Amino acid sequence: MLAIGVYAAKMVELTFTFWGSDLEAQVINEACAQFNKSHPNIKVVPMHIPSNYIEKLTAMIAGGTPPHIGYLYEPNVLDWASKGILYDLTDVIKSDSLLSNKLPELYWRYDQGRKTAGITVAAEFMITYYNKDLFDKAKVPYPPTKPEEWTWDKFVETAKKLTFDNKGRRPGDPGFDPNNIVQYGAVVPLWWCPLIPLIWSNGGDIADETGTKPLINSPESMEALQKIYDFIYKDHAAAPPTVSDAFPSTNIALQTGQVAMVIDGQWSMQEAGEMVKEGTLRLGLAPLPYFKEPVTGVIGTPIVIFKDAMKSPEILQAALEFHRFIQDPENVLPLIRCGLWQPTTLDWYTKKEYIDKWMDPKIHPSDYKAAVIDYYPYAHKYPVAYLKNSAEINTIFGQEMTRIFYGNEDIQKVCNEAAEKLKPLLVGRYDK
């Protein structure tokens, strides 16, 4: 095993590929410059690929010029690792106190859990965002920050109190007009990141623990989907997708009073935080609502090392050195403090000295620690981080959810048909 911390004797140049916004690119470029300054024998060349990332990466690999290290889209990670494209980080992680002290859900394991393809560089929880001014105006108590207290029933009842038609009537009031709603209580985005944790919380899932049997048509999964559907179309307290799809963003919908609560990922915190900083949004945060057991999902981009680029021990050692550097939250702190990323190191969730570095009081509301940071024990990794054929499975899941929530098709019929479509794809897990 190569030791991290011993610099190469001659100059080594590394290509680091990544995607992201202009802010993310700026911080990554600065981090690379900082690394280069402190490592005179290593030069990391950042390559920002804002679109068609996998296509361009695949072309680089096919052309014999793969990057040395870089981001990799979640559905590709374990597939590429199992094909020998990525370097196994297991021994390096075991011997390093920083790399071995991440949230457990952020390691990408394969070969029955014996090997590690990468480590997530930015954790992202699913949480609840809300506009405190709309709650105050309607005289509705804020959502609790304790996960056990924020049940689905409480979420629905809260949303009903924050839903108004054009004459100020709420759902259940005489004459309430669901065709002329001017403020919705909530938005539930209808894709796998928000939906799967809600299904988990009711005891359902896409597949069983072995990754070989579909559970999308289990009573628990279908009950959760039915309750979400009813929340939108029977309670009229959540914006239907034909309405929410027209919002410029869910944060703007919060800011402008079109909706009072939004379920979304940590990544939305950057835009919301700018509104907080500008004084245009009094933001509140709560955990994800749940049906039977509190749970949230955690997702994030893993950083991987490309095996075919490791043409010498010096190059590999340099890549490992940079990998460790970029995995240290201290070196990407602006992306954490702006709200775009959550740190990945466990100490940053449990020790005050690190939490104080993380939270920017101009951006992160006072309830952020209780609602998000303290929420980490409830985070589960998504199936994309362990199921084989996850890209195809996610595609089918999305198509079937569209039939339910856009097409208003019968949930049992759709889920039974989805289960049949998933069966040939459910051939096990990478980590077991």
Side-chain angles (χ1 to χ4, degrees):
M1 187 190 73
L2 291 162
I4 294 179
V6 181
Y7 301 159
K10 59 183 179 180
M11 174 62 73
V12 173
E13 186 169 299
L14 304 176
T15 302
F16 175 65
T17 55
F18 66 103
W19 65 78
S21 65
D22 290 344
L23 171 66
E24 188 164 352
Q26 178 186 337
V27 174
I28 292 297
N29 287 334
E30 290 171 355
C32 290
Q34 179 186 345
F35 176 84
N36 292 341
K37 187 176 181 180
S38 60
H39 297 73
N41 293 326
I42 305 172
K43 181 182 180 182
V44 175
V45 179
M47 182 183 292
H48 185 219
I49 306 175
S51 61
N52 301 317
Y53 186 87
I54 289 298
E55 291 86 345
K56 292 175 183 177
L57 205 59
T58 302
M60 292 172 70
I61 293 170
T65 56
H68 300 89
I69 184 170
Y71 291 9
L72 188 56
Y73 280 127
E74 291 88 341
N76 298 96
V77 175
L78 299 177
D79 177 50
W80 286 22
S82 66
K83 292 175 179 175
I85 297 173
L86 308 180
Y87 180 78
D88 174 21
L89 293 164
T90 304
D91 288 342
V92 175
I93 292 167
K94 287 179 181 177
S95 65
D96 188 277
S97 59
L98 170 71
L99 299 181
S100 61
N101 189 35
K102 302 292 183 177
L103 296 180
E105 297 79 17
L106 305 184
Y107 297 101
W108 293 73
R109 310 283 192 192
Y110 67 108
D111 191 22
Q112 298 181 322
R114 292 187 289 260
K115 296 180 179 179
T116 310
I119 308 172
T120 296
V121 74
E124 310 279 355
F125 294 172
M126 293 303 303
I127 53 180
T128 305
Y129 296 76
Y130 64 92
N131 183 327
K132 288 185 173 181
D133 285 336
L134 299 183
F135 275 73
D136 292 346
K137 184 178 178 181
K139 295 182 171 56
V140 176
Y142 299 149
T145 55
K146 291 184 178 179
E148 292 82 4
E149 296 177 5
W150 192 220
T151 64
W152 180 261
D153 288 344
K154 183 175 284 189
F155 175 60
V156 171
E157 288 307 309
T158 300
K160 286 180 180 178
K161 294 173 183 176
L162 291 158
T163 301
F164 299 96
D165 68 12
N166 58 356
K167 294 188 177 178
R169 295 170 298 205
R170 296 167 168 168
D173 289 348
F176 172 75
D177 184 359
N179 295 315
N180 284 289
I181 295 175
V182 295
Q183 178 181 302
Y184 285 93
V187 169
V188 181
L190 301 170
W191 61 294
W192 57 270
C193 260
L195 289 179
I196 288 175
L198 292 173
I199 292 171
W200 285 338
S201 79
N202 202 50
D205 210 329
I206 286 181
D208 71 346
E209 272 296 306
T210 67
T212 59
K213 177 184 175 183
L215 292 180
I216 191 61
N217 62 338
S218 69
E220 294 83 2
S221 297
M222 292 191 293
E223 181 183 48
L225 292 171
Q226 185 66 60
K227 288 184 177 182
I228 297 166
Y229 181 91
D230 290 347
F231 181 44
I232 297 168
Y233 292 106
K234 291 187 178 180
D235 298 323
H236 301 292
T242 52
V243 173
S244 59
D245 286 350
F247 295 149
S249 76
T250 51
N251 282 319
I252 291 175
L254 275 179
Q255 181 191 42
T256 56
Q258 294 168 281
V259 63
M261 296 183 288
V262 172
I263 289 175
D264 212 339
Q266 165 71 32
W267 52 82
S268 285
M269 187 66 217
Q270 181 188 356
E271 183 184 42
E274 282 301 307
M275 295 175 180
V276 172
K277 192 174 180 180
E278 294 164 359
T280 59
L281 174 64
R282 285 186 63 230
L283 180 68
L285 297 166
L288 196 68
Y290 73 95
F291 291 106
K292 294 175 182 174
E293 296 289 337
V295 63
T296 192
V298 59
I299 195 71
T301 302
I303 289 184
V304 301
I305 292 175
F306 295 89
K307 197 171 182 180
D308 284 352
M310 301 300 113
K311 301 186 186 303
S312 71
E314 290 83 8
I315 294 174
L316 175 57
Q317 187 167 293
L320 291 171
E321 191 77 38
F322 180 68
H323 175 264
R324 188 185 193 281
F325 177 88
I326 206 74
Q327 287 286 353
D328 187 341
E330 296 275 9
N331 296 324
V332 289
L333 197 53
L335 291 172
I336 296 169
R337 285 181 63 81
C338 80
L340 182 63
W341 288 7
Q342 293 172 221
T344 56
T345 302
L346 186 58
D347 286 349
W348 287 63
Y349 292 79
T350 58
K351 296 184 178 179
K352 187 177 183 302
E353 62 184 292
Y354 295 112
I355 293 170
D356 288 346
K357 291 183 180 182
W358 173 358
M359 289 183 62
D360 182 346
K362 295 179 182 177
I363 288 176
H364 296 88
S366 58
D367 48 15
Y368 184 88
K369 181 182 181 299
V372 181
I373 298 177
D374 295 345
Y375 197 29
Y376 80 91
Y378 298 86
H380 288 207
K381 64 172 62 178
Y382 283 94
V384 71
Y386 54 82
L387 279 185
K388 296 180 179 179
N389 298 315
S390 65
E392 295 91 338
I393 289 167
N394 282 346
T395 297
I396 289 173
F397 180 81
Q399 291 169 344
E400 304 309 298
M401 294 305 102
T402 296
R403 292 175 61 190
I404 292 170
F405 293 106
Y406 287 78
N408 299 298
E409 293 189 45
D410 178 74
I411 289 175
Q412 184 171 351
K413 175 178 180 292
V414 170
C415 289
N416 284 335
E417 292 175 1
E420 290 302 313
K421 293 175 184 177
L422 291 174
K423 280 181 181 178
L425 295 170
L426 291 171
V427 295
R429 299 170 59 134
Y430 286 102
D431 61 345
K432 290 186 179 180

